[in-house]
């Protein structure tokens, strides 16, 4: 691309991210980018720009050879995949903010780029305005990483902050997260941990050189959190944060999981409040570093898209250095143990989870809560049953790594 002329952008979607980008480009007049065409789905929907700014046929935009690059910012992941895949088949430069699309289709998206020479960047897909993908991909390209974990969903973190800091109710806090434009069209994705899972899959590919299918990642959320759980956390001054984490065990196996977790003041993630995200990247030599910033909202996410637009227009593409370097991508550590709190009305879940070391069993009316130890494999297997039962599960600390090591040491000692 000629860097001296105005580059024309074809934009798909004009929701929170699309409008955020459009607004930034309208304010930053010196930037050499212009949104030339905006493609949306529903002609009847009221929009903040006059109707003549929109087109409704995405094929027209895909076929428009005058466009220099495409930005995909629609919420339907499968429709987004159809658009992005077609654009990559045409060898185009594409920026997306759609985490579900990337998480579910990364191997195909890599193959399309390889075959047809197009480029896909997706910084906005993980942790909103925090430049975490390029940090992990470029800065940490040669240092082995031990763990990447953090708060990857702004809406659920906003809700938890409202509950813990302002004593608000869950429903009121969720409504606010929706009104502020943080939540997904289907907020279940936010509160149930699915959105965090998608982001964790993407981070894992860059951090550990392994593309994991979202189906292989156990995810649990705050959708069934109640006052009893909040009180339990407060007893020792902790709060609850939704933690997405991937780490390598001493045997080189991977532990990816999304689990609400008790977090106390000594934890790096304790200070991450409201719609902010926080990602701790733990290098084998550099140690842990916290990256904190706004994880949701039109402007922070639009700014991440803008950064990709600049990079892609200069010819940047992800090298996927760890993916290419890794001959044997790590297997999942299905035997890895985590210490959890479970509250439910269904005692069968204790069996389904294979919970051991049961402690502190409490009963209240129809429900019970219990502390115990569970393996990653059982969490993966029992996750649908737990969701169906409306049960709430959380880790006793966000430090899954050392909790696991401590447990296995105890086991070795005992045998
Ligand atoms: N709904 C997402 C969140 C938006 O709350 O984090 C940013 O991906």
């Amino acid at each position: 691309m000629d860097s001296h002329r105005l580059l024309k952008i074809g934009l798909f979607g004009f929701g929170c991210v699309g409008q955020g980008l459009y607004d930034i480009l309208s304010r930053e007049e010196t930037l050499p980018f212009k949104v030339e065409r905006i493609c949306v789905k529903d002609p009847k929907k009221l929009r903040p720009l006059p109707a003549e700014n929109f087109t409704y046929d995405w094929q027209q935009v895909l076929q428009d050879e005058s466009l220099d690059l495409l930005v995909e910012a629609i919420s339907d992941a499968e429709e987004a995949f159809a658009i992005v895949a077609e654009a990559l088949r045409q060898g185009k430069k594409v920026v997306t903010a759609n985490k579900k699309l990337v998480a579910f289709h990364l191997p195909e998206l890599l193959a399309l780029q390889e075959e047809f020479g197009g480029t896909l960047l997706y910084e906005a897909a993980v942790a909103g305005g925090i430049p975490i993908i390029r940090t992990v991909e470029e800065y940490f390209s040669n240092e082995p990483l031990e763990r990447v974990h953090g708060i990857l969903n702004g809406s659920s973190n906003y809700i938890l902050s409202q509950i813990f800091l302002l004593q608000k109710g869950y429903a009121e806090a969720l409504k606010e997260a929706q009104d502020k434009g943080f939540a997904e069209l289907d907020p279940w994705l936010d509160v149930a941990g699915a959105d965090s899972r998608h982001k964790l899959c993407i981070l894992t590919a860059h951090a550990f050189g392994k593309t994991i299918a979202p189906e292989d990642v156990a995810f649990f959320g705050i959708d069934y959190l109640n006052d009893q759980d909040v009180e339990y956390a407060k007893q020792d001054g902790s709060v609850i944060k939704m933690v997405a984490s991937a780490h390598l065990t001493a045997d080189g196996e991977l532990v990816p999981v999304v689990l609400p977790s008790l977090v106390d003041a000594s934890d790096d993630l304790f200070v991450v409040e409201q719609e902010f995200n926080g990602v701790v990247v733990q290098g084998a030599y550099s140690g842990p570093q916290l990256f904190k910033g706004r994880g949701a909202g039109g402007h922070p996410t639009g700014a991440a898209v803008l950064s990709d637009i600049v990079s892609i227009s200069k010819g940047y593409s992800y090298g996927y250095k760890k993916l290419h370097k890794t001959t044997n991508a790590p297997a999942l550590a299905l035997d890895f143990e985590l210490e959890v709190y479970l509250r439910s009305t269904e005692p069968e879940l204790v069996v389904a989870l294979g919970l051991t070391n049961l402690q502190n069993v409490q009963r209240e009316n129809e429900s019970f809560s219990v502390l115990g130890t569970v393996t990653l494999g059982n969490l993966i297997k029992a996750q649908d049953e737990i969701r169906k039962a409306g049960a709430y599960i959380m880790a006793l600390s966000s430090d899954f790594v050392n909790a696991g090591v401590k447990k296995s040491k105890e086991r070795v000692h005992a045998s």
Side-chain angles (χ1 to χ4, degrees):
M1 288 176 198
D2 172 0
S3 59
H4 298 294
R5 70 179 174 88
L6 207 58
L7 298 184
K8 292 179 185 164
I9 298 170
L11 173 63
F12 295 90
F14 205 59
C16 179
V17 180
Q19 287 178 43
L21 172 69
Y22 189 88
D23 191 53
I24 293 172
L25 288 176
S26 324
R27 292 169 191 230
E28 302 303 320
E29 289 167 353
T30 55
L31 289 174
F33 305 107
K34 178 172 187 280
V35 177
E36 185 74 6
R37 304 189 76 168
I38 309 173
C39 183
V40 290
K41 204 171 181 174
D42 184 359
K44 293 199 196 87
K45 194 166 168 183
L46 204 63
R47 298 190 190 272
L49 293 176
E52 62 264 25
N53 288 277
F54 299 101
T55 160
Y56 305 96
D57 177 358
W58 52 265
Q59 280 299 350
Q60 260 184 28
V61 180
L62 280 173
Q63 304 312 328
D64 186 340
E65 293 301 327
S66 75
L67 299 173
D68 295 287
L69 56 98
L70 300 172
V71 173
E72 183 288 307
I74 67 174
S75 68
D76 182 319
E78 286 316 304
E79 201 172 344
F81 176 62
I83 293 170
V84 170
E86 177 57 28
L88 290 177
R89 257 180 236 114
Q90 296 177 22
K92 296 202 165 159
K93 294 180 190 290
V94 191
V95 173
T96 182
N98 196 317
K99 46 269 160 127
K100 193 172 173 192
L101 150 76
V102 180
F104 274 92
H105 295 287
L106 188 54
E108 293 138 282
L109 295 168
L110 289 172
L112 285 169
Q113 290 173 81
E114 197 123 303
E115 186 175 351
F116 298 101
T119 305
L120 179 67
L121 297 184
Y122 42 80
E123 185 61 69
V126 180
I130 307 176
I132 196 66
I133 296 187
R134 252 176 290 163
T135 300
V136 169
E137 175 62 39
E138 299 302 335
Y139 184 86
F140 291 103
S141 60
N142 292 300
E143 182 179 355
L145 295 182
E146 293 174 344
R147 186 183 193 199
V148 175
H149 80 286
I151 295 166
L152 300 181
N153 183 268
S155 303
S156 53
N157 202 49
Y158 180 86
I159 294 168
L160 288 168
S161 287
Q162 298 302 305
I163 291 173
F164 276 89
L165 297 179
L166 300 173
Q167 287 76 45
K168 285 197 183 156
Y170 176 88
E172 184 190 355
L174 170 59
K175 169 91 177 43
E176 282 179 23
Q178 289 177 295
D179 291 347
K180 288 173 186 276
F182 302 151
E184 300 299 303
L185 217 49
D186 175 2
W188 177 85
L189 291 161
D190 297 296
V191 295
D195 179 73
S196 300
R197 167 182 75 155
H198 302 149
K199 292 163 176 169
L200 185 67
C201 290
I202 301 172
L203 268 183
T204 299
H206 292 273
F208 300 107
K210 179 173 172 70
T211 54
I212 25 174
E215 293 87 348
D216 287 342
V217 179
F219 69 99
F220 301 92
I222 55 166
D223 37 349
Y224 298 113
L225 178 81
N226 75 10
D227 291 348
Q228 189 184 332
D229 313 321
V230 172
E231 284 316 309
Y232 181 80
K234 284 181 175 170
Q235 269 171 27
D236 65 350
S238 292
V239 294
I240 296 171
K241 300 284 184 193
M242 194 137 86
V243 176
S245 173
H247 78 266
L248 290 177
T249 64
D251 299 334
E253 292 182 328
L254 192 70
V255 182
V257 68
V258 176
L259 200 52
S261 306
L262 291 176
V263 161
D264 66 21
S266 69
D267 193 303
D268 282 336
L269 300 177
F270 190 80
V271 297
V272 181
E273 296 287 6
Q274 311 297 351
E275 79 275 25
F276 280 73
N277 283 189
V279 189
V280 181
V281 180
Q282 185 166 334
Y285 301 99
S286 52
Q289 295 182 53
L290 169 68
F291 297 82
K292 176 173 167 262
R294 287 197 164 78
H299 275 163
T301 316
V305 173
L306 172 62
S307 177
D308 275 352
I309 290 173
V310 174
S311 300
I312 213 166
S313 69
K314 290 185 175 153
Y316 173 78
S317 60
Y318 299 132
Y320 294 98
K321 297 186 191 72
K322 288 192 170 156
L323 259 181
H324 291 141
K325 218 181 273 175
T326 313
T327 40
N328 290 320
L332 296 189
L334 298 175
D335 290 339
F336 186 82
E337 292 180 329
L338 295 117
E339 295 183 304
V340 294
Y341 159 106
L342 171 75
R343 179 189 45 74
S344 176
T345 51
E346 301 193 14
E348 312 83 80
L349 290 183
V350 174
V351 181
L353 280 167
L355 272 192
T356 55
N357 303 323
L358 300 184
Q359 283 173 53
N360 207 19
V361 181
Q362 308 276 331
R363 288 197 175 77
E364 201 179 300
N365 303 323
E366 298 292 283
S367 94
F368 70 92
S369 66
V370 63
L371 308 184
T373 304
V374 64
T375 63
L376 178 70
N378 283 345
L379 271 181
I380 296 171
K381 266 191 258 161
Q383 57 177 326
D384 287 337
E385 205 171 327
I386 289 178
R387 273 190 281 279
K388 221 159 91 199
Y392 175 72
I393 186 166
M394 69 180 164
L396 297 186
S397 147
S398 85
D399 187 4
F400 310 155
V401 185
N402 288 318
V405 169
K406 203 177 82 209
K407 279 269 143 213
S408 59
K409 273 196 189 136
E410 275 166 14
R411 240 195 2 253
V412 170
H413 211 66
S415 60

